[in-house]
Amino acid sequence: MTRLTALNPEEVTGKTKDLFNAVQAKLGVVPNMMRTMGNSPAVLEGYLNLSGALSHGKLSAKTGELIALAVSESNSCDYCLAAHTFIGEKLVKADPAVLKVC
């Protein structure tokens, strides 16, 4: 079965490079999931646009991240736990004690 590989942000060009640069500017890193989505700039752009649209909802960013952590824990997804802990700590400044519980 063919598998997609996570792209190296230093080696991409065009639309993917532009999208990776935007992610890097916001998060400080380009997560593996987005590096893999970069194989199709349309997929990555769609994901980023959806995430952006959802950020305008009624839930605060902090509440959204805490929900994402709870779901990640329930699903036993170590990747999602790591990603949402990082976002909770670095971007939405969630209480570190709460992040350790999740």
Side-chain angles (χ1 to χ4, degrees):
M1 170 155 74
T2 303
R3 292 186 176 260
L4 296 175
T5 58
L7 302 175
N8 181 340
E10 302 296 321
E11 297 174 359
V12 297
T13 60
K15 183 69 172 178
T16 299
K17 181 69 170 174
D18 295 341
L19 294 168
F20 280 10
N21 286 343
V23 170
Q24 177 76 37
K26 182 173 183 178
L27 300 179
V29 297
V30 181
N32 286 334
M33 183 178 79
M34 292 178 201
R35 289 176 49 207
T36 303
M37 287 180 181
N39 283 285
S40 170
V43 168
L44 179 56
E45 185 173 35
Y47 172 79
L48 295 173
N49 287 338
L50 175 61
S51 295
L54 292 174
S55 73
H56 300 296
K58 292 186 184 235
L59 294 178
S60 71
K62 189 178 292 184
T63 300
E65 283 309 311
L66 293 176
I67 291 169
L69 277 167
V71 171
S72 300
E73 179 70 27
S74 177
N75 289 337
S76 300
C77 180
D78 292 336
Y79 178 86
C80 293
L81 276 171
H84 291 291
T85 298
F86 175 85
I87 292 168
E89 179 182 319
K90 303 290 184 194
L91 298 180
V92 300
K93 309 295 187 203
D95 181 352
V98 172
L99 296 175
K100 287 184 180 181
V101 171
C102 293

